[in-house]
Amino acid sequence: MGRSRRTLPEELLLLALDPTTGTTAQPQSLDLGLAGAQLVELALAGRIAPDGDRIAVVMPRPTGDPTLDSALELLRRRGSPVRAVHWIGGPRLGLRQIYLSHLERCGMVHAVAGQMCGVLPTTRYQATDTAISRDIRARLDSAIRTGVPPDPRTAALAALAHAVGLGKHLYPGNEGRSSRSRLRDLIRHDPMGGLVAHAVMDVQNGVAAQPRRNPAAPGGTRQPAAVSMQPRHGSMDRVAAH
C-alpha cells in the first residue's frame, strides 16, 4: 500500500481533531471507529472481505503499513471469519493515541505539552498542515451538498464519522441538522463501510447478540442485524493523555 495516500484511520482522526482545542471529539467511540476504519482500509486493499456480518481474510500478504498489518495478522490468526462487532469491541483500544503518535511522526500534527490544574501533564495535538484537514472535510461536504454518490473511500469515511457521532461536531446546531441527516444517509453507498459502521454503533449500544437470520434466504444465510442509525453521543475530549 503506497504511503502517498492517507489511510481511513488517519483521515477519521484528522476529521475528529478540533483545530482550536487540540483535542479529539467523541474520544471513546473514536477508538471503536478507528478499529472499524482499519477493517475498511484492509478491505479496500483487497486483504479482507465481508462474509455476512463477519470479516474474512482473503489475502494475508502485508500492506506495508505496520498498524494495519498488525490488525491483518490478528485476523489471520483467528483462522475463521470473525464477527465485525466482536472484532471492533475487542481489547484493541488505545488506537487513538497510536494514530496520534503516528501522525506526529509523519509531520501531520505536532504535540503541545501542558498541564491540567497546574499538576497533571497533558498533551494536545495541532495539525501542521490544515490544508489536509480541509481537503478531507471538503470531500464530505461535497458528497452531502451535491447528492452525487461518493467514491467508496469517502462513503466509508462518512459512515464512520456518523457511527462515532462526529455529525454534531462537524455540522453543529439546528442549521446543521439537514447535513447530519445526509451524512447518515451516505452510509448506504459502501457495503463494507456500512457493515463496519453498524458494528461500531452496535458496540456502543451494547448489542452483541447473535446475528439475525433471513428466513427467505436458503439455509438461513447470515445477514447483518438491523440497528438504529443514531449513535450514542459522548462528550468532547478535553485531554489527550500523552
Side-chain angles (χ1 to χ4, degrees):
M1 178 181 297
R3 293 302 299 140
S4 60
R5 185 192 312 190
R6 294 177 300 274
T7 65
L8 273 172
E10 293 167 0
E11 291 194 328
L12 183 65
L13 183 53
L14 287 171
L15 199 63
L17 190 63
D18 190 305
T20 303
T21 65
T23 59
T24 53
Q26 304 301 112
Q28 294 180 338
S29 57
L30 186 58
D31 274 328
L32 302 175
L34 291 171
Q38 287 186 315
L39 293 180
V40 180
E41 190 66 52
L42 287 171
L44 289 170
R47 299 319 197 261
I48 64 175
D51 177 13
D53 68 340
R54 297 173 184 261
I55 303 298
V57 175
V58 295
M59 183 189 298
R61 179 167 56 86
T63 66
D65 181 299
T67 309
L68 289 175
D69 289 339
S70 177
L72 179 62
E73 177 61 15
L74 288 173
L75 285 166
R76 186 193 67 79
R77 289 178 183 176
R78 291 292 184 95
S80 60
V82 59
R83 287 188 67 200
V85 68
H86 289 162
W87 173 262
I88 290 170
R92 279 175 308 283
L93 301 183
L95 281 177
R96 182 166 44 108
Q97 187 57 54
I98 290 173
Y99 273 105
L100 281 170
S101 299
H102 168 73
L103 290 177
E104 184 182 14
R105 289 193 300 271
C106 293
M108 283 191 269
V109 303
H110 71 274
V112 180
Q115 289 183 330
M116 174 181 285
C117 302
V119 179
L120 298 176
T122 65
T123 305
R124 300 177 186 274
Y125 294 85
Q126 300 290 338
T128 55
D129 187 351
T130 56
I132 294 176
S133 297
R134 288 199 301 268
D135 173 70
I136 297 170
R137 176 65 180 270
R139 283 165 44 209
L140 285 188
D141 290 346
S142 177
I144 287 173
R145 183 179 63 253
T146 65
V148 175
D151 62 275
R153 181 173 292 275
T154 301
L157 181 62
L160 289 162
H162 167 73
V164 302
L166 289 183
K168 289 186 177 180
H169 169 70
L170 299 171
Y171 307 103
N174 288 333
E175 65 275 14
R177 184 177 300 173
S178 61
S179 293
R180 293 195 299 271
S181 177
R182 287 192 289 271
L183 179 70
R184 177 196 64 208
D185 292 342
L186 289 174
I187 201 170
R188 70 181 187 274
H189 289 294
D190 180 62
M192 184 65 179
L195 168 65
V196 169
H198 282 120
V200 169
M201 289 185 283
D202 274 353
V203 173
Q204 292 180 80
N205 294 326
V207 178
Q210 291 299 314
R212 297 180 182 179
R213 295 182 181 273
N214 183 353
T221 303
R222 289 191 302 268
Q223 298 293 329
V227 298
S228 167
M229 294 297 295
Q230 298 300 326
R232 183 176 297 174
H233 297 289
S235 60
M236 176 73 76
D237 182 23
R238 293 302 177 191
V239 180
H242 185 54

